[in-house]
Amino acid sequence: MSKYKLEYIWLDGKKPVPGLRGKGLIKSFEKPPTLADLPLWGFDGSSTMQAEGNKSDCVLKPVALYPDAAKKDGYLVLSEVMHPDGTAHSTNMRATAEDDPDIWFGFEQEYFLYKDGRPLGFPKDGHPSTPQGPYYCGVGYKYMGSIARTIVEEHLDLCLHAGINHEGINAEVAKGQWEFQIFGKGSHKAADDLWMARYLMARLCEKYEVDFELYCKPIKGDWNGSGMHSNFSTKHLRDVGGKEYLEALMKAFENNIAAHIEVYGPDNHLRLTGLHETQAIDKFSYALSDRGASVRLPVNFIKNGYKGYLEDRRPNSEADPYQIVSRILKTINTVPTK
Ligand code: ADP
Ligand code: MN
Ligand code: MN
Ligand code: MN
């Protein structure tokens, strides 16, 4: 028998976007545990905005298991929050995303690394002397500083070890801003992985005395905000597509602007201004290769017979991917595929 360190991770009741929580369970197993071996567990919901003090027990139901390279015999246990009677808690947004094995999602998570209340590399007062330009995919101490890349690469290794499906990483347009991309098939895999990647980054940053900043417009002025472009494709979009179908789908998106924006992250009006590679928050547009559109069709989409994936550029860095998946699926499901 060995003892395993199981860190149960869940999302709390913070509004408008949930926060990450985790607590450790130490348990003996004959061999490394699988998801099916893991028990339900619980926590005090009155400390996480999920229950009243006199009825405080919430249940943690393990839904995905990730090896934790930072700990010997460690695992991260992503969990859904349930009521003691087994029904999903009202803050459990994962449970609202209808299970669809044929939808694929790719999230581009942009974020800042912060130190002492400002982006890494920003002077104590004011802005860096070099404006935006050389930082995107940049190299060299003068632009990138010294710890950011160390953190980014260490995070990538932790994620890959955990089985999180990263597809890429890059330095972003603003100084101290970075991005990673995560892809997954089905309604839950990409969103599960994204939350775990956020957890691993926030935890890793503790050691460097750095903050993982997800707020969408942390610096005013001519500095990019952070988005979380949400790329998606259905079986129909990948295999059949067609101009008529795309037009009907985009019409459905246009008819639901407010419902989408509601779950695309707080303070998004500060970011979706029509400038800095965005469309205005109250408008909807789609176009080939257009980074000023709400939805961008990737460069080969039309050439391939209106087939492939679409990029909704509106979700911001702080948005909850479960709510994005849930909303996009809802809108897609209103459009007949004939
Ligand atoms: P860009 O910055 O040009 O928008 P990225 O390479 O950062 O491009 O992101 C592209 C995203 O598209 C990735 O997250 C990738 O996983 C996702 N993606 C690629 N193909 C598909 C597909 N068929 N369905 C859903 N997402 C996809
Ligand atoms: Mn990108
Ligand atoms: Mn980007
Ligand atoms: Mn993008």
Side-chain angles (χ1 to χ4, degrees), residues 60-74:
L60 290 173
K61 180 177 120 189
V63 292
L65 182 63
Y66 298 82
D68 186 353
K71 295 181 190 174
K72 182 176 179 295
D73 297 325

Side-chain angles (χ1 to χ4, degrees), residues 108 110 136 170 172 179 181 229:
E108 302 170 53
E110 294 181 337
Y136 173 74
N170 60 273
E172 265 304 333
E179 170 177 315
Q181 299 111 35
H229 298 163

